[in-house]
Amino acid sequence: MNFKISNYQVYGLERAVKASGNPMRVKIDTSSPNEKDFQRAERLGATKNGLGHDNFLKGILVQLDVSAPLYWWKEAQRYHWFDFISSQSTMHCLLKFDLKEQVVEEVDSYILERFQELIADYQRIPDTQIEEKKNAWRILVASLPCGFCLSATMTTNYQQLKTMYIQRRHHKLKEWHVFCDWCERLPDFLALTGAKELANN
């Protein structure tokens, strides 16, 4: 299985661009954004992370499905506004997955064979042997290779994606390169986050 992002949708882009001008208004303006609004949003969005000038980017919401190996999920979970809506469950589905189809190609075949043996060991234990069954299950879960892939539906926003893009665009893992390439294809992402220049470096 390869890292994949699919079924993504972007919400609130125009409303957030318009709202980027709220600090200088005495009344909230809900009209459609014009060229001046986009120019202002691009200036604010390009500011350094943490200064607060790019806060309007939080109003551009993104929902997406991600299929990724466990080693990528461990890194992605450090981002506070990259939230799980719902995900596949190893607890419910581990024995239902086609293991060879569910891992990245770099997982060693010996590890896959050994894991299949552990599954067979678990399945041979009668349900009446509750403690033995629990212990075998723990061995299964603890032995699952990091290259095992799970899919999840996520929600995030352009401000969080800006941070992820800046921090991960030159990462060792090829999955982050795919992720950053996807960010670049989001509507107005490069312009509104100031990532246009970063993409060329």
Side-chain angles (χ1 to χ4, degrees), residues 5-11 62-65 182 185-187:
I5 296 173
S6 58
N7 306 320
Y8 61 90
Q9 294 175 299
V10 177
Y11 305 93
V62 185
Q63 290 185 348
L64 62 152
D65 290 337
W182 168 77
R185 295 192 301 273
L186 291 171

Side-chain angles (χ1 to χ4, degrees), residues 16-114:
V17 166
K18 196 69 180 182
S20 68
N22 283 350
M24 305 303 290
R25 294 189 181 115
V26 294
K27 184 179 179 182
I28 298 292
D29 182 354
T30 58
S31 64
S32 297
N34 55 35
E35 185 177 347
K36 183 179 176 182
D37 293 315
F38 273 95
Q39 290 172 350
R40 178 189 55 251
E42 289 177 16
R43 284 194 311 275
L44 294 172
T47 58
K48 188 176 179 181
N49 282 10
L51 295 179
H53 301 302
D54 63 354
N55 277 352
F56 77 94
L57 291 172
K58 286 190 287 189
I60 307 174
L61 307 177
V62 185
Q63 290 185 348
L64 62 152
D65 290 337
V66 183
S67 298
L70 299 180
Y71 58 76
W72 184 87
W73 282 117
K74 287 190 295 184
E75 294 185 357
Q77 287 172 11
R78 72 183 300 273
Y79 294 102
H80 186 67
W81 288 284
F82 190 57
D83 294 327
F84 285 89
I85 295 174
S86 187
S87 67
Q88 290 180 312
S89 170
T90 52
M91 295 301 110
H92 291 106
C93 296
L94 181 56
L95 300 177
K96 300 176 183 177
F97 286 121
D98 180 341
L99 192 62
K100 290 181 180 178
E101 295 295 320
Q102 204 69 25
V103 297
V104 294
E105 61 186 12
E106 292 86 356
V107 173
D108 191 287
S109 59
Y110 172 79
I111 292 171
L112 288 178
E113 289 170 16
R114 179 61 186 136

Side-chain angles (χ1 to χ4, degrees), residues 58-177:
K58 286 190 287 189
I60 307 174
L61 307 177
V62 185
Q63 290 185 348
L64 62 152
D65 290 337
V66 183
S67 298
L70 299 180
Y71 58 76
W72 184 87
W73 282 117
K74 287 190 295 184
E75 294 185 357
Q77 287 172 11
R78 72 183 300 273
Y79 294 102
H80 186 67
W81 288 284
F82 190 57
D83 294 327
F84 285 89
I85 295 174
S86 187
S87 67
Q88 290 180 312
S89 170
T90 52
M91 295 301 110
H92 291 106
C93 296
L94 181 56
L95 300 177
K96 300 176 183 177
F97 286 121
D98 180 341
L99 192 62
K100 290 181 180 178
E101 295 295 320
Q102 204 69 25
V103 297
V104 294
E105 61 186 12
E106 292 86 356
V107 173
D108 191 287
S109 59
Y110 172 79
I111 292 171
L112 288 178
E113 289 170 16
R114 179 61 186 136
F115 197 79
Q116 294 285 17
E117 291 172 3
L118 292 174
I119 290 175
D121 292 344
Y122 172 82
Q123 291 174 327
R124 276 193 292 270
I125 301 169
D127 291 341
T128 54
Q129 297 178 13
I130 296 171
E131 286 305 312
E132 189 177 348
K133 196 90 171 177
K134 282 183 182 177
N135 292 335
W137 179 259
R138 286 187 59 81
I139 290 171
L140 267 183
V141 172
S143 302
L144 194 62
C146 281
F148 183 82
C149 295
L150 288 174
S151 299
T153 301
M154 308 295 293
T155 185
T156 188
N157 60 65
Y158 271 34
Q159 189 179 49
Q160 184 67 94
L161 290 175
K162 173 185 173 181
T163 298
M164 296 169 83
Y165 183 90
I166 290 169
Q167 293 179 352
R168 303 289 177 167
R169 72 190 189 284
H170 297 306
H171 197 274
K172 286 182 181 180
L173 292 180
K174 65 181 181 181
E175 288 84 359
W176 282 115
H177 294 242

